[in-house]
């Protein structure tokens, strides 16, 4: 059975003290709540990753990196490899967030290499993709998403999808306060599952968790998560406040 996941992407927020405080609060708040098979993940900045990982050891909070480089080591100033993440016991990584694609020129080709590298090292990935507003307006959104998935992930073998969680994040909904309607999310998620069924078979496609991201808040999470092909959320702004993040987790 596929897992439900609520992942908080802290982006470039929270200094060390704030990261420690937030993860402590989350650990306490999630200690005894009934959340079935829901995984809770937080993604702090690189510089606070190790500390948050140490604090959350043994709790229900899992820790992911926000990015990684596709090479193991070498002359890549400012970059971090998957081996380095594993070395501090971080086994999960977000790849292809729209901010990485847009501001740091991460292409589908680079992301395909990053995905392969992470999986080669048995890391779990949360692979993000989604259309821009103009694509949605022109009716191109399905085609754009299909291309991102084909170029970024379809080189993987069926078995390798055991390491992959998908995150559909329409760019026009990220940080804007505007969400895709639950129907729009369901429509796209069903389309995505269909693509995987065509390429890898129904059994694999039914096992892949597909998260929705883009202005998920306590007041809309329940409705979005109630859709059959939405298996959780990748949360930005609302993941920075313990009460909001907790309310979203409890929406399951
Ligand atoms: P948001 O961010 O929840 O602030 O819209 C979502 C994301 O970037 O993953």
């Amino acid at each position: 059975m596929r897992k439900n996941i609520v992942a908080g992407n802290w982006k470039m927020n929270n200094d060390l003290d704030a990261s420690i405080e937030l993860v402590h609060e989350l650990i306490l708040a999630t200690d005894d709540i009934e959340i079935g098979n829901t995984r809770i993940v937080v993604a702090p900045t690189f510089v606070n990753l190790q500390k948050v990982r140490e604090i959350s050891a043994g709790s229900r909070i899992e820790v992911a990196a926000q990015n990684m480089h596709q090479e193991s080591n070498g002359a890549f100033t400012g970059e971090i490899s998957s081996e380095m993440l594993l070395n501090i016991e971080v086994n999960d990584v977000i790849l292809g967030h729209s901010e990485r694609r847009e501001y740091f020129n991460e292409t589908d080709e680079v992301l395909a290499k990053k995905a392969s590298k992470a999986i080669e090292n048995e890391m779990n990935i949360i692979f993000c993709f989604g259309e821009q507003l103009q694509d949605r307006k022109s009716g191109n959104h399905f085609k754009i998403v299909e291309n991102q998935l084909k170029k970024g992930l379809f080189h993987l073998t069926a078995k390798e999808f055991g390491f992959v969680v998908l995150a559909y994040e329409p760019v026009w909904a990220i940080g804007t306060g505007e969400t895709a309607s639950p129907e729009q999310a369901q429509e796209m998620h069903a389309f995505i599952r269909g693509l995987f069924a065509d390429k890898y078979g129904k059994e694999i496609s039914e096992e892949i968790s597909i998260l929705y991201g883009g202005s998920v808040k306590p007041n809309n999470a329940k409705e979005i998560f109630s859709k059959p092909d939405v298996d959780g959320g990748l949360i930005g702004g609302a993941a920075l406040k313990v009460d909001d993040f907790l309310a979203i987790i409890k929406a399951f």
Side-chain angles (χ1 to χ4, degrees):
M1 202 179 124
R2 60 182 185 252
K3 289 216 159 185
N4 294 324
I5 300 165
V6 180
N9 176 7
W10 293 359
K11 307 191 180 184
M12 198 173 74
N13 294 298
N14 289 339
D15 63 11
L16 181 60
D17 288 346
S19 299
I20 292 172
E21 192 181 326
L22 182 51
V23 77
H24 267 306
E25 285 177 344
L26 277 174
I27 290 167
L28 285 176
T30 54
D31 191 35
D32 58 356
I33 57 170
E34 207 29 75
I35 46 168
N37 75 347
T38 302
R39 288 176 59 201
I40 308 168
V41 181
V42 298
T45 57
F46 279 132
V47 75
N48 297 323
L49 210 43
Q50 188 172 8
K51 191 72 189 170
V52 172
R53 176 67 188 87
E54 278 168 15
I55 293 171
S56 60
S59 79
R60 303 176 85 156
I61 310 297
E62 299 173 49
V63 179
Q66 297 175 14
N67 181 31
M68 53 160 256
H69 195 267
Q70 63 273 25
E71 299 293 336
S72 301
N73 49 53
F76 301 102
T77 301
E79 293 293 323
I80 309 270
S81 70
S82 60
E83 285 83 351
M84 291 168 182
L85 295 173
L86 288 169
N87 195 229
I88 57 164
E89 295 178 14
V90 170
N91 302 324
D92 294 70
V93 62
I94 298 172
L95 293 179
H97 190 278
S98 71
E99 287 145 22
R100 299 295 317 169
R101 292 176 186 260
E102 194 172 339
Y103 307 137
F104 303 97
N105 301 321
E106 292 200 6
T107 60
D108 294 320
E109 290 70 26
V110 165
L111 291 168
K113 288 184 187 159
K114 290 189 179 197
S116 287
K117 184 65 175 186
I119 293 170
E120 182 189 310
N121 283 329
E122 303 195 341
M123 288 187 79
N124 302 307
I125 66 178
I126 300 177
F127 190 87
C128 308
F129 51 91
E131 81 281 0
Q132 302 274 350
L133 185 58
Q134 68 265 26
D135 304 319
R136 168 72 53 177
K137 282 191 169 153
S138 64
N140 259 345
H141 44 298
F142 292 114
K143 196 80 224 146
I144 295 285
V145 162
E146 183 173 348
N147 269 333
Q148 288 173 327
L149 289 172
K150 283 189 169 164
K151 289 186 181 160
L153 291 181
F154 274 24
H155 62 293
L156 299 177
T157 64
K159 199 162 159 255
E160 288 175 319
F161 276 95
F163 293 101
V164 180
V165 168
L166 304 174
Y168 167 58
E169 298 206 297
V171 179
W172 48 272
I174 296 178
T176 59
E178 191 176 337
T179 45
S181 68
E183 291 70 32
Q184 284 173 321
Q186 169 57 28
E187 183 187 33
M188 183 59 89
H189 285 219
F191 170 75
I192 294 162
R193 211 177 291 288
L195 291 176
F196 280 86
D198 289 347
K199 167 91 176 156
Y200 294 99
K202 197 159 168 50
E203 207 177 315
I204 299 282
S205 78
E206 287 297 327
E207 286 299 311
I208 297 179
S209 297
I210 310 177
L211 315 185
Y212 167 80
S215 299
V216 177
K217 307 284 178 207
N219 63 3
N220 60 24
K222 207 175 174 76
E223 225 195 324
I224 296 172
F225 293 168
S226 71
K227 295 294 175 192
D229 286 297
V230 178
D231 307 308
L234 182 54
I235 322 297
L240 299 174
K241 297 189 202 109
V242 69
D243 291 345
D244 286 355
F245 194 53
L246 202 62
I248 293 170
I249 294 165
K250 285 180 178 170
F252 269 112

